[in-house]
Amino acid sequence: MAKIEDQKIKKDLINRLRTVKGHIGGIERMLEEDKDCSDILIQISAIKSSVNKIGLSLVENNLCECIFESLENKEEVKDSVKDALKSFLKFTK
């Protein structure tokens, strides 16, 4: 499996995760303060969307890195693509 080598991508993902963490804290406060359920659900939807975007970014990075590594190492590109697609399918379940 590939690792995230690009520091800009890594920093962006970490920032997104910290934002999600902040949203989760906000939902906790909303529950403690007896806020309206529809407002809480909107925040949960935003978190789900953010987590999905983070996952898709990781899938994209993984797919690209697997293919590039296989080309550099003269490995079977087909096997690398299959491995990357397995990761994608795990993410989408």
Side-chain angles (χ1 to χ4, degrees), residues 23 26-31 33-47:
H23 283 296
I27 290 173
E28 286 180 39
R29 285 187 297 280
M30 291 173 80
L31 286 168
E33 297 170 1
D34 295 323
K35 298 293 182 181
D36 188 63
C37 289
S38 62
D39 293 335
I40 295 170
L41 289 170
I42 289 169
Q43 292 303 310
I44 290 172
S45 178
I47 290 170

Side-chain angles (χ1 to χ4, degrees), residues 1-2 8-9 14 19 40 45 56-57 65 67 77 86 88:
M1 280 287 134
K8 183 179 178 187
I9 293 172
I14 290 170
T19 299
I40 295 170
S45 178
L56 288 173
S57 180
E65 290 299 321
I67 291 170
V77 174
K86 283 180 188 176
F88 174 73

